[in-house]
Each structure stands twice: as structure tokens, then as C-alpha cells.
Amino acid sequence: MKSAVILFPGSNRDRDMIKALEQISGQSVATVWHTETELPEADLYVLPGGFSYGDYLRSGAIAARSHIMPALKTAADQGRHVLGVCNGFQMLTEAGLLPGALMRNASLHFVCKEVMLETTSTNSAFTSHMEKGKVWRCPVAHHDGNYFTDAETLKELEGEGRVAFRYADGTNPNGSLNDIAGITSAKGNVLGMMPHPENLIEDLHGGLEGRALFESVMQNLAA
Amino acid sequence: MKARVTVTLKNGVLDPQGKAIEGSLGSLGFEGVEGIRQGKVFDLELADRTDAQAKADIEAMCEQLLANTVIENYSIELL
């Protein structure tokens, strides 16, 4: 699996993501600065976590209007895999690649802790080789992770099995509607999620549960 | 020419920051504050153009960047 990570001023989880992708895919990972207008050839494009542009205006809002984004939209339209984690999820909603918005946590606090996630749908390339219903531990670190969308869109997401991950066991850290932690696009090739699976991929992290998501994409590419 | 854009949360969108501000006003002793919704104000300075053109331009700015229309409404005022 060839992958590329897009970098913005204020990204800070890019190195974790690159390390995780390198370890899992066994291939070097391309990086793309946000001022570029073309993407390198890759199977998976990743928008990493962090605080792009200091979260000015709204989290992810300015990054979502950067020069590289039209190329990312084209890649998504062509069915390439696009993953946005944390700030990357905020960018995907701001860019219109995923519906809804991520608002200030209901508690108003920045949360940095582990939550329990349930894999609630295996309808996408990211989850098709994951175990449906499995509850796993995953770290979160964000201030704006409170997923909101209108009732009609929510119904659509639920009805189409596009809620990939939900906070489980009462661990919703931010007040997200329906405990939503991650959603996919209609075609299933774009995933946005607040938790950080890239931080659960080696023994030193205390668990390997995050690997399944990346391995699922690899298995789909191999199939 | 100058213009002001006011961005507010749509009805039905929870505003925990507004709630916290409301609580703080209560603790300062202000009574009868029955609700606060936090919003944003943008003051724009534009090169001269007709009012109609200014409104159209600012509306495009709001739609594309200044407001997230999933959760926010905006209003435009030419000053």
C-alpha cells in the first residue's frame, strides 16, 4: 500500500501517522505540503491530527480551503482511500468530503484520554476486515470532537451503515450525536474519525488494536 | 467601503459556550438572563464597488469560508 500524508502548518500528529503507515505497509510514506496542487500516486491519502492554522476561524476550516484540497477531492471522487484523523476529520467535514460538523466538546474541556470504541459498521474499505461489534480501546485528544449534523443526514448515515465507529461503554468524551466517533462517505472510500488508531500499532503503545483499520485497507487493495 | 458579517449558530444547535457564559453572568449576580448564544462578527473593508456587488461578494465569502452553513447562519450589513 502506497500512502501519502498531507502536511499543514500546525499539524502535529503527522509523524505518528507516517511511522504507523511505514510499519504497517513496509513502504516509505510520501509527504505533501499543503501548497502543492498535485498529489503523488498513492492508494491512501491521510489528513493527520493537530491544530492546522491554530484552529483559527473553525477547526480545520482554513486547511480545508488550501491549495491541495481540490486534488484530494478529485482523488476521493476517483475512489482513492482518504483518511482524516482528528483535525483531519474536521478538515474533511469543512471541505464537504464528509457531512456534518465537529463542534466544541460539550464539556468545553480539551480531552486527552482513552475511550472505548465499537466498530459499528464494516461497510467501508477501512472496516471491511474489522470485526463488527468489537469494542476496543483507543486514545482521543481533542477540543472540537462533538459531531453534529441535521436529523435528515443523521438518519441517512445510520440507515446506510456509515457510522463506522461509536464511543462505547459510556465513554463518549465530547457529546457527539449518537455517540458518533467516525463516519464514512457514501462510497465508503473516505473515513473521518476523532480517535487516533495510529497510536495503537506497536507493543510500546500498550496495544495493537489500531492496526486492523490500516490492514483492512491493505487487504482490500490486495483483493 | 465597510461591511459587517454576523455569524450565529442555527436554532437547535447546542451552544455549550453560550451556556457557560450564561452561568457566569448568573454567578456575577445578573438576574433574568434567559439565554445566550455565542456568535462571531467580521468587520470587512472592501475596495469600492456597488452595494449589490458588495452583497453578492460577501455572500460568496460567507458561503465559502466565513460561515459553516451546516451549523451557522450569517447576516450581512453594509456600513
Side-chain angles (χ1 to χ4, degrees):
Chain A
M1 174 175 72
K2 277 191 188 170
S3 50
V5 174
I6 303 174
L7 307 178
F8 302 86
S11 295
N12 65 8
R13 296 299 192 105
D14 44 312
R15 290 186 185 193
D16 300 32
M17 184 60 76
I18 292 165
K19 197 94 186 152
L21 290 165
E22 277 174 355
Q23 283 199 21
I24 293 168
S25 72
Q27 295 189 36
S28 63
V29 175
T31 55
V32 187
W33 188 236
H34 65 102
T35 52
E36 300 287 321
T37 52
E38 283 177 34
L39 287 165
E41 192 60 25
D43 305 303
L44 171 66
Y45 298 103
V46 183
L47 298 170
F51 299 87
S52 58
Y53 296 93
D55 281 349
Y56 295 167
L57 187 62
R58 297 176 303 272
S59 298
I62 295 178
R65 277 87 181 167
S66 59
H67 292 291
I68 195 64
M69 288 315 256
L72 189 70
K73 282 182 192 169
T74 304
D77 286 344
Q78 290 169 346
R80 298 298 171 83
H81 300 91
V82 177
L83 168 66
V85 170
C86 200
N87 193 213
F89 185 14
Q90 294 160 345
M91 290 177 210
L92 288 173
T93 57
E94 280 284 346
L97 281 164
L98 289 173
L102 291 145
M103 304 190 55
R104 181 54 39 103
N105 294 343
S107 66
L108 298 176
H109 293 293
F110 186 95
V111 290
C112 180
K113 59 178 178 182
E114 287 189 339
V115 297
M116 300 308 292
L117 285 187
E118 182 184 353
T119 306
T120 43
S121 170
T122 50
N123 277 0
S124 77
F126 296 92
T127 55
S128 61
H129 288 78
M130 294 180 82
E131 189 186 328
K132 191 172 178 176
K134 183 180 170 166
V135 176
W136 48 293
R137 207 167 46 85
C138 194
V140 293
H142 59 251
H143 208 167
D144 298 309
N146 184 352
Y147 185 78
F148 177 85
T149 191
D150 59 80
E152 199 178 317
T153 308
L154 186 64
K155 207 172 145 189
E156 203 176 290
L157 289 172
E158 294 284 1
E160 293 173 5
R162 289 168 57 191
V163 178
F165 304 110
R166 240 186 262 280
Y167 302 110
D169 302 343
T171 61
N172 183 340
N174 51 39
S176 270
L177 274 182
N178 290 17
D179 296 324
I180 286 174
I183 57 168
T184 54
S185 60
K187 285 196 290 183
N189 62 317
V190 180
L191 167 69
M193 63 191 294
M194 289 312 295
H196 289 274
E198 76 276 21
N199 289 149
L200 263 188
I201 55 111
E202 56 182 285
D203 287 329
L204 271 177
H205 290 155
L208 304 174
E209 292 92 334
R211 296 186 82 100
L213 187 153
F214 300 99
E215 285 166 354
S216 184
V217 177
M218 286 177 70
Q219 286 176 33
N220 277 301
L221 289 167
Chain B
M1 64 190 297
K2 295 184 179 197
R4 173 166 286 180
V5 171
T6 306
V7 174
T8 51
L9 283 174
K10 287 183 174 175
N11 286 335
V13 175
L14 288 177
D15 180 15
Q17 293 174 104
K19 277 275 168 223
I21 296 163
E22 189 183 327
S24 187
L25 284 176
S27 67
L28 283 172
F30 291 101
E31 289 173 15
V33 178
E34 292 176 352
I36 290 192
R37 307 277 285 164
Q38 181 176 306
K40 295 187 186 108
V41 169
F42 301 90
D43 285 330
L44 284 75
E45 289 195 32
L46 299 173
D48 281 341
R49 60 198 82 186
T50 65
D51 283 5
Q53 190 59 50
K55 275 191 179 162
D57 290 344
I58 297 169
E59 191 172 328
M61 294 176 204
C62 289
E63 289 288 332
Q64 288 176 44
L65 180 64
L66 298 181
N68 178 341
T69 55
V70 174
I71 49 171
E72 294 168 332
N73 291 322
Y74 59 86
S75 63
I76 299 165
E77 204 184 337
L78 298 180
L79 304 173

